[in-house]
């Protein structure tokens, strides 16, 4: 159970920074090279690496190396897991109508 809490915290940590939200918005249109993200965000390379590590560790973003550059994209599976976590926290996926969380 505590593993679920840790994973949920890791997922939501990814959403708790303005730059990471900007990165996710940029990735909505498809895969982007780290160089493109650097240009758009106007941050240093170490700062971008820090943000990308958090996003990748959460599972929401995946990266692949091509030459000397990393290319990042939103993970459909990671986005699904994040949505499921939110639904569980807000009782939006409750299927048992006998549970108090399901009663309206």
């Amino acid at each position: 159970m505590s593993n679920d809490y840790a994973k949920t915290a890791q997922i939501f940590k990814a959403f708790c920074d303005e730059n990471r939200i900007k990165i996710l918005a940029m990735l909505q249109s498809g895969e982007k090279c780290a160089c493109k993200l650097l240009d758009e965000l106007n941050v240093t390379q170490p700062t971008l690496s820090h943000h990308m590590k958090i996003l990748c560790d959460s599972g929401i973003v995946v990266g692949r190396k091509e030459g000397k550059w990393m290319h990042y994209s939103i993970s459909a599976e990671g986005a699904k897991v994040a949505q499921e976590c939110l639904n569980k926290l807000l009782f939006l996926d409750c299927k048992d109508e006998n549970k108090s969380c399901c009663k309206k």
Side-chain angles (χ1 to χ4, degrees):
M1 182 66 87
S2 64
N3 241 1
D4 289 342
Y5 293 138
K7 182 61 180 170
T8 299
Q10 191 174 36
I11 288 168
F12 287 99
K13 179 179 180 179
F15 296 118
C16 291
D17 181 87
E18 183 178 349
N19 282 318
R20 290 192 288 273
I21 298 297
K22 287 178 186 177
I23 291 166
L24 290 171
M26 291 170 62
L27 295 177
Q28 285 177 341
S29 61
E31 184 181 76
K32 298 281 183 293
C33 177
C35 60
K36 180 70 171 165
L37 297 173
L38 276 170
D39 289 343
E40 294 290 323
L41 290 174
N42 196 29
V43 297
T44 65
Q45 189 279 325
T47 299
L48 178 65
S49 290
H50 169 75
H51 290 307
M52 298 316 297
K53 178 172 178 15
I54 292 170
L55 287 166
C56 289
D57 286 351
S58 74
I60 297 165
V61 171
V62 293
R64 68 175 183 83
K65 191 166 178 83
E66 186 176 297
K68 67 176 189 168
W69 291 106
M70 287 295 293
H71 294 260
Y72 296 99
S73 59
I74 293 175
S75 164
E77 181 61 30
K80 181 181 173 190
V81 169
Q83 183 66 52
E84 289 169 357
C85 285
L86 180 60
N87 288 345
K88 285 179 186 177
L89 286 172
L90 301 177
F91 305 113
L92 297 176
D93 69 344
C94 193
K95 308 249 187 294
D96 184 350
E97 292 181 12
N98 295 320
K99 287 186 178 178
S100 61
C101 69
C102 296
K103 294 182 181 177
K104 306 223 184 228

